[in-house]
Amino acid sequence: MKILRSRMKANQATRGKPLYRRIWFWAGLGLGGGIVALIYGISLIDRTLPDQSELNAVVREQTLTIKAADGTILQQQGETAREQLKLEQIPDNLKKAFIASEDRRFKQHNGVDPQGIARAGLNNLRSQGVVEGASTITQQLARILFLKQEQTIWRKLKEIRLAQKMENELTKDQILERYLNLVYLGGGAYGVADASWVYFSKTPDELSLAQMATIAGLAPAPSLYAPDKNPEAAKRRRDLVLLRMQEDKIITLEQRQAAVQEPLTLKTSLPKRLEVESPYFTSYIQKELPKYVSANVLKSEGLVVETTLNPTWQKVAEEAVAKTLRNQGSWENFKQGSMVAIDPRNGEIKAMVGGKDFGKNQFNRVTQAQRQPGSTFKGFVYATAIASGKSPYDAYEDAPFVVDGYEPKNYSERFRGSMNIRDALTRSINIIAVKVLIDVGFTPTIKLAHDMGIKSELKPTYSLALGSNEVNLLELTSAYGSFATLGLHTEPHGITRILNRQGKVIWSANFKSKRALDADSAAIMTWMLRNVVEAGTGAAAQLGNRPVAGKTGTSDEARDLWFIGYIPQMVTGVWLGNDDNRPTDGSSGSAAYTWHEFMEKAAEGMPVEKFPKRPKLEGRKGTIKAQSIKPKQVLNRSISSDDDSQRESARNSEESGSSRRRRRRRSYSQEEQQSSNYTPRRRRRDRTQESSSNNSSSESSRPRRRSRRVESDSSSPPPRRSRRSSSPANSSGSSGSSSSQPSWRDKLRPSN
């Protein structure tokens, strides 16, 4: 009864107390508040984490990988590995060594391992130091991909939450594969493939059990356990990993004992990610990237760039240019060369050689060098004429000619009289090219060149016909590709796709072809340009039974040597010269032969395709309206030929005063004098005089000393350059004597 009375009194007392003084109220309030705080804290953390779609990231931030068309890596930047291995490519013992070392309950937990945390804390307490980490492999991957390395509670909370989300989004195998490809293991090595190469110069499948344990032991502290920096610490860590592998029944006692006895033998190498293939091309790609992705993406994202480059053709192109610079370059006084190959059907760049040595000079002579194209520009002049309705058989007079004070001259100072357009292009006759330009006009010619792919400024001057306006090799080559595709032009490009960190395509090439020239005119031009290779100045580019079309070009004093040629499937351009614009002793035949050296190998296995047949010429209607120029003054004689006797006297006086040293001057079209019987396999030393059935005996004799062939647009002519005396038969670009005996210089030329 006493107990009952006391309880009743207590209940009465309780009923009389206010709510805030009751214990259960505060207990409930505290529990509820804790739950709310927890939910709020989790939501706050989640708002700072990446979106769910980003959890599939396979590379770190601020990395860049550039790949060739076949998937091989050309260049990498940032914290990344050159080799991304599939999980099945990684040896089983290597995978299990990392699990035993870093996360023994990897298969059981859901991103965070409470048991592992308790065990690590207990072991560290016993050892009075940090001997075991508590972060799971999933937590480490979350930190690698999305977090910084600062040691804060907030970062740890985000790491835990990210790990839980990744476990829900990815499988265990996907998590392990990403981790083994991304974990930093010291020495500049990212991932197990990189580490195998950096420390042992091996692939992962070539590693011994002891070496696998050594690499797995690096993960917690690469700088502390690096075998090349601290071999004793590395061995202790290796042995600990082996012990854990035995405890987890991954290896036997005998295997562990044998591995422990193995000496730590290193064979170090630089990380493969530091290797750069095709550096001129990859530097071009990096400059192109801002056109397709924003600056923020470039700065923060990890990108994979898939390109158009064919590594096999690239190697052949590099060898061809190097061979020419080594051989012809040493004799013809040019030190640089460049080449670019494009598929004209889609605009894809297949090979790019920007110069001799990227390590010494990063200037890309394919995309950055603005040079005078010489007679290669005549292709656009004649294409405009054909498209305006002219026939390839329309004739012009090759005779002394002065227009508004401008006097074009042929290299040989010879005049062939009446000549049709096709033969004038084949022989690269300057005077007729200028006359054709006058008939069709500046505006239509410039517009067509731009439509076909020339991006540089073109000025309306008479010397435009002879290539006085500077262009770069990429645009000139791309423009000639429009002839190969029956007048369609596609923007040249080197990137096919750009992928983000998750492997999703964020940009892909979709360049559309545009009509630049009507198909019939393009086919006629190809027919004419084939004759340049078969019977004219481009004979060195012949490819046996495979049809080739193209055009040579040489600027004033042979400062620039060009050949742009194509087959139906590929257009390739070559430039040779000097960066400082010094004159050379060469001719465009060297460029044509370099083209041949590349294309002969690049075309192996490629089906032989024929060019379209030449369309009917009768009844053709023009697709371009000519806008003929009306000169103020035209003289059909040479200003410098008014008094032949005075010129002969002046020549003899000058030759005597200079101790008979010749001063060879080159015109924009010196290549008109190259031999038309040059075969592709002959060296430059075999090139002799031009063979032409309509030349008189006086024309085939040694040419007179030449004055300036083509006036430039500049106010002052380029400086004259003294040349060493050499046999006329072997002077590049001159009409030699009938003798085929090589000179002493030719006998000393290298054979390869």
Side-chain angles (χ1 to χ4, degrees):
M1 292 294 293
K2 290 182 178 180
I3 296 174
L4 183 59
R5 286 194 207 97
S6 63
R7 285 181 177 176
M8 291 177 63
K9 289 180 181 180
N11 288 338
Q12 290 174 356
T14 302
R15 282 196 294 267
K17 286 184 180 180
L19 189 64
Y20 64 86
R21 295 184 63 184
R22 298 179 183 182
I23 297 175
W24 62 265
F25 169 79
W26 289 108
L29 187 63
L31 180 61
I35 293 172
V36 171
L38 179 62
I39 294 173
Y40 176 76
I42 292 174
S43 65
L44 189 62
I45 293 172
D46 285 353
R47 284 199 294 269
T48 66
L49 301 180
D51 293 336
Q52 186 173 348
S53 60
E54 295 185 38
L55 298 178
N56 286 305
V58 294
V59 296
R60 295 170 181 255
E61 292 183 342
Q62 298 178 331
T63 60
L64 176 66
T65 301
I66 300 175
K67 294 183 177 181
D70 64 354
T72 57
I73 293 176
L74 300 174
Q75 184 178 11
Q76 288 184 302
Q77 292 181 350
E79 300 174 343
T80 184
R82 194 174 188 87
E83 295 177 85
Q84 295 281 330
L85 301 179
K86 298 294 184 183
L87 192 62
E88 55 268 20
Q89 295 176 292
I90 302 173
D92 195 51
N93 276 341
L94 183 55
K95 291 182 283 190
K96 291 179 177 178
F98 273 92
I99 292 174
S101 172
E102 294 300 300
D103 190 357
R104 301 173 87 168
R105 284 175 35 82
F106 173 68
K107 297 291 186 178
Q108 286 78 44
H109 64 68
N110 190 35
V112 180
D113 183 14
Q115 291 184 33
I117 294 173
R119 184 183 62 249
L122 183 59
N123 290 338
N124 292 337
L125 185 61
R126 288 173 178 173
S127 302
Q128 296 183 348
V130 179
V131 296
E132 187 173 343
S135 292
T136 63
I137 284 177
T138 313
Q139 287 177 258
Q140 293 182 53
L141 179 61
R143 184 169 63 249
I144 289 170
L145 286 172
F146 304 110
L147 303 174
K148 297 180 180 179
Q149 297 297 322
E150 72 269 20
Q151 299 293 326
T152 64
I153 295 295
W154 184 248
R155 195 271 294 168
K156 195 67 177 179
L157 291 173
K158 290 198 294 183
E159 177 186 298
I160 291 171
R161 187 62 181 148
L162 264 174
Q164 293 172 334
K165 285 177 171 288
M166 292 178 74
E167 288 278 350
N168 293 331
E169 186 71 23
L170 305 172
T171 66
K172 289 289 185 180
D173 283 351
Q174 289 175 321
I175 291 171
L176 184 59
E177 180 182 294
R178 284 163 170 75
Y179 174 75
L180 294 176
N181 278 311
L182 295 172
V183 60
Y184 181 64
L185 297 170
Y190 292 88
V192 294
D194 235 8
S196 302
W197 179 255
V198 166
Y199 295 113
F200 302 108
S201 298
K202 293 180 178 181
T203 59
D205 59 326
E206 296 173 331
L207 296 173
S208 68
L209 176 60
Q211 290 169 338
M212 292 180 188
T214 301
I215 289 175
L218 290 165
S223 59
L224 178 62
Y225 299 126
D228 56 340
K229 302 287 194 309
N230 195 345
E232 289 304 317
K235 287 177 68 176
R236 288 194 299 270
R237 181 66 184 175
R238 176 199 69 180
D239 295 347
L240 177 59
V241 174
L242 290 168
L243 176 61
R244 290 181 180 173
M245 292 178 74
Q246 183 201 338
E247 291 173 347
D248 293 343
K249 295 182 171 45
I250 299 168
I251 60 174
T252 65
L253 174 63
E254 291 75 17
Q255 287 176 310
R256 181 177 75 84
Q257 290 175 339
V260 167
Q261 295 301 317
E262 183 179 311
L264 184 61
T265 304
L266 301 179
K267 185 180 179 183
T268 58
S269 300
L270 287 174
K272 288 185 177 181
R273 67 189 177 87
L274 300 180
E275 299 173 3
V276 180
E277 302 291 335
S278 311
Y280 286 108
F281 179 75
T282 54
S283 64
Y284 159 73
I285 292 299
Q286 291 188 55
K287 291 178 181 178
E288 289 289 292
L289 279 174
K291 294 181 180 179
Y292 310 125
V293 293
S294 68
N296 289 337
V297 172
L298 280 175
K299 183 178 180 180
S300 60
E301 281 279 2
L303 300 179
V304 175
V305 182
E306 297 176 352
T307 73
T308 60
L309 193 80
N310 183 311
T312 302
W313 293 351
Q314 176 67 22
K315 184 177 180 180
V316 172
E318 291 171 355
E319 290 173 349
V321 173
K323 180 179 178 181
T324 295
L325 294 177
R326 184 172 62 248
N327 293 345
Q328 284 93 329
S330 62
W331 289 98
E332 298 177 356
N333 294 325
F334 56 81
K335 297 185 181 299
Q336 280 295 349
S338 57
M339 176 186 291
V340 65
I342 304 171
D343 185 337
R345 300 166 297 186
N346 53 30
E348 292 184 354
I349 299 171
K350 297 299 184 181
M352 178 184 288
V353 182
K356 182 178 181 180
D357 189 342
F358 185 84
K360 293 182 179 178
N361 190 335
Q362 291 77 49
F363 184 69
N364 191 334
R365 294 153 193 86
V366 172
T367 61
Q368 294 176 284
Q370 294 293 117
R371 310 289 300 210
Q372 291 181 337
S375 291
T376 58
F377 196 84
K378 292 175 184 174
F380 307 114
V381 176
Y382 287 114
T384 308
I386 296 298
S388 71
K390 287 187 176 295
S391 166
Y393 295 115
D394 286 353
Y396 284 80
E397 192 73 16
D398 179 24
F401 178 69
V402 183
V403 54
D404 291 341
Y406 173 73
E407 182 183 9
K409 285 191 176 182
N410 300 324
Y411 174 76
S412 62
E413 277 194 357
R414 297 177 306 191
F415 306 104
R416 292 174 172 80
S418 181
M419 179 179 287
N420 64 47
I421 288 177
R422 183 193 187 207
D423 290 343
L425 178 63
T426 300
R427 292 294 178 191
S428 202
I429 304 300
N430 284 341
I431 292 172
I432 293 179
V434 175
K435 289 183 175 181
V436 171
L437 175 64
I438 291 173
D439 278 357
V440 298
F442 294 131
T443 301
T445 302
I446 291 173
K447 183 181 184 304
L448 178 61
H450 283 153
D451 289 345
M452 290 179 68
I454 299 297
K455 296 183 179 297
S456 299
E457 180 185 5
L458 300 174
K459 298 178 181 179
T461 60
Y462 294 117
S463 62
L464 173 71
L466 309 183
S468 63
N469 286 233
E470 294 177 341
V471 299
N472 66 53
L473 180 59
L474 179 62
E475 60 185 335
L476 184 59
T477 304
S478 172
Y480 262 72
S482 302
F483 291 132
T485 55
L486 291 177
L488 294 174
H489 177 256
T490 307
E491 187 76 12
H493 58 278
I495 302 174
T496 54
R497 299 197 307 172
I498 302 174
L499 288 71
N500 65 10
R501 298 175 64 202
Q502 293 78 42
K504 295 181 180 179
V505 177
I506 60 174
W507 182 88
S508 60
N510 187 27
F511 295 93
K512 303 294 185 181
S513 297
K514 296 180 180 179
R515 174 65 61 185
L517 180 66
D518 68 275
D520 283 355
S521 297
I524 293 171
M525 279 303 301
T526 292
W527 173 71
M528 292 169 62
L529 290 168
R530 284 186 64 184
N531 202 49
V532 173
V533 176
E534 293 169 0
T537 60
Q542 293 174 13
L543 290 176
N545 66 340
R546 190 183 293 270
V548 175
K551 185 68 185 77
T552 50
T554 311
S555 67
D556 190 40
E557 291 198 304
R559 299 172 193 272
D560 304 282
L561 312 175
W562 303 82
F563 181 75
I564 315 295
Y566 58 93
I567 60 176
Q569 305 99 311
M570 190 186 304
V571 57
T572 300
V574 177
W575 170 85
L576 304 171
N578 294 306
D579 286 340
D580 59 5
N581 209 33
R582 285 186 296 107
T584 76
D585 292 322
S587 75
S588 55
S590 293
Y593 187 72
T594 307
W595 186 94
H596 165 267
E597 288 288 278
F598 165 71
M599 287 296 295
E600 184 178 47
K601 295 179 181 178
E604 288 179 359
M606 191 183 295
V608 176
E609 292 186 14
K610 303 295 184 182
F611 287 117
K613 292 183 178 179
R614 191 206 70 189
K616 292 183 179 180
L617 301 178
E618 297 77 16
R620 289 181 61 249
K621 294 183 179 180
T623 57
I624 291 178
K625 184 177 181 180
Q627 300 179 29
S628 59
I629 304 165
K630 296 180 180 179
K632 296 179 181 178
Q633 183 182 46
V634 175
L635 299 176
N636 289 314
R637 62 181 179 82
S638 173
I639 294 175
S640 59
S641 62
D642 289 341
D643 193 336
D644 288 341
S645 61
Q646 290 182 6
R647 184 177 63 181
E648 186 69 26
S649 174
R651 179 187 300 108
N652 293 337
S653 174
E654 184 174 348
E655 287 182 353
S656 174
S658 61
S659 302
R660 297 182 181 180
R661 289 179 300 176
R662 295 178 62 202
R663 292 178 176 264
R664 294 189 300 171
R665 302 291 305 205
R666 312 264 181 192
S667 75
Y668 283 111
S669 160
Q670 90 174 43
E671 72 273 5
E672 74 166 284
Q673 294 300 317
Q674 289 176 202
S675 170
S676 63
N677 63 355
Y678 188 104
T679 60
R681 298 186 182 279
R682 292 177 182 168
R683 298 284 187 264
R684 282 280 294 106
R685 62 173 177 271
D686 295 327
R687 296 173 196 158
T688 56
Q689 67 277 7
E690 168 191 14
S691 61
S692 177
S693 58
N694 62 350
N695 286 353
S696 65
S697 59
S698 62
E699 289 175 337
S700 62
S701 63
R702 179 176 178 177
R704 296 177 179 179
R705 188 181 180 282
R706 289 173 288 281
S707 62
R708 191 163 190 267
R709 297 293 169 266
V710 179
E711 296 175 2
S712 68
D713 292 335
S714 59
S715 58
S716 59
R720 299 179 67 87
R721 175 179 170 88
S722 297
R723 306 283 188 181
R724 293 189 299 270
S725 173
S726 61
S727 171
N730 290 285
S731 296
S732 174
S734 66
S735 63
S737 66
S738 60
S739 172
S740 61
Q741 182 69 25
S743 71
W744 64 271
R745 290 180 65 186
D746 291 327
K747 292 179 180 179
L748 293 177
R749 292 181 187 233
S751 59
N752 53 46

